[in-house]
Amino acid sequence: MSVVDDPSRPTTTAPDRAPGPPTGPRGTRPGRRADTRPSGLFRAFWRWHFYAAVVVVPVLLTLAVTGLVYLFRFQIEPMVHGDLMRVEHAPGQLLQPYETQLEQVEAANPGATVVSMTEPKTADESTRFTIETAEGATRDVFVDPYTVQVLGSLDPDSTISGTAVRIHADFMAGVVGDTVMELGVCWAIVMAITGYVMYFKGLKARRRQRAAGAPSANLRTTHARVGAVLGGGILLLVVSGLPWTGIWGAQTQKLATSAGTSFWSEDHGALSNPTSTLDESLPHSHHVVPWAQEKTPVPGSTLPADLTDGANVATVDTAVEVADREGLAHPLTIALPAEETGVYSAIGYAFDDPGQERTVHIDRFGGQVVSSYGYDQYPTLAKVVAQGISVHEGRRFGAVNMWLTTAFCIGVIVSCVTGPLMWWRRRHRGTGDVGAPRGRMPLATSPLLAVAVVALAVFLPVFGASLVVVLLLDRFVVSPNARLRRFVGSTART
């Protein structure tokens, strides 16, 4: 994501646009660049990089900031809500049965339906129960696992991490926000590729500018170097984040399904979700349901003929015991039966290792395992996506992954600030244009480049559609209008 100065510009220690009479060979006005003609691929890529940044910078800046909140959600939320999420305990003090804790939650929330229970990860954490109130609202209720005291509840959408993940997903604007987010993500690929071209082509020019003490030389170098490091990471995170998008993700899933595979479970069309409301659990952005299992079907329990005569009915503690016996990763989340013939779904999320993800469905009457589904049963594509998402979320390689992702987010913020600052310093003051670099992409004379652009447009439909719109506007709106051509820095009528 490196906007660098034009290597064709003369090296000078004077301000970029010093006041005074015209000095250019063509007698240009003060504040205007002397040469506005296209000057090769550098200017062309620079121009694409510039206009991609108009779309990408707001999106990437938002994703980076909310991504940082996401990464540190386990530190932020307990610090803000320590009275709910943290408990004191004496050495050797035993946890009370989860069924007893569940009874206290139900007593404290009459009319509510308890959806799930998530066990404490450490000895000083509270137990979290997700409920749906009589009014249909979702809340997280926290219980001291030693005293079974109900500590209080939270609206997961109102927390810092809950708000951040909603912004991170779609700007909290539904389909429109999701489309804008996807548009920015697609153009981020363009910005990364053009940035690398400019980085290598501009190495000598930046070196000369630094040696001559040119204005903003250090700023340009900082932006270029940070962008060179970030470019690969941007491509990785963009690709690993695309499965979440509403257009690319949905269409690619359909294509994968038609080819006999899937992003998710082998039951491609299943809409049943073992924990349909568990994504509302705190932290809001921490999906307790593994990505690849979100659409797996949930089996039912076998209703005993002698139920009224006192059949053996399983409990939350039974589900935890069975899940532990089956070797599921802790902390467990137990989805409670939603109906009379429902099951307890024990979900072992395996935070650091998607390869250990597994869900076991337990009969609510007999306590036996009805079915189980885990990473080993995923289609190959789902395994790849699951691994990619764990890297995207900064958890696949533990602390190393988290801190590298943190550094990446900070770098994106730096790049999103230095880029516009460079434009602000080099903008055309008083000329009535946006100061865009002037250059045309020579697609007609560069077949390989044209093929690459078409391939990218086909692979990323949102990018392709937006590119068609831009080209149509340029051909039928901008080109015939001299004022608009001057405003957007168009080099010629096309």
Side-chain angles (χ1 to χ4, degrees), residues 70 73-74 118-119 121 286-293 323 326-334 346-360 373-376 378 383 386-391 393-398 401:
Y70 170 85
R73 62 201 181 280
F74 295 123
T118 299
E119 62 180 356
K121 184 177 182 179
H286 172 46
H287 293 271
V288 295
V289 184
W291 166 271
Q293 298 185 23
E326 292 290 321
L328 268 66
H330 290 269
L332 295 166
T333 292
I334 308 296
I347 304 164
Y349 192 70
F351 186 76
D352 293 336
D353 184 6
Q356 300 300 316
E357 295 174 355
R358 193 173 169 211
T359 295
V360 173
Y373 189 80
Y375 185 85
D376 291 342
Y378 293 176
K383 291 181 178 180
Q387 294 288 347
I389 286 175
S390 67
V391 174
E393 293 181 340
R395 57 183 172 84
R396 178 62 183 91
F397 304 107
N401 199 165

Side-chain angles (χ1 to χ4, degrees), residues 50 152 268 295 381 389:
F50 176 88
H268 310 142
K295 298 187 183 301
L381 181 58
I389 286 175

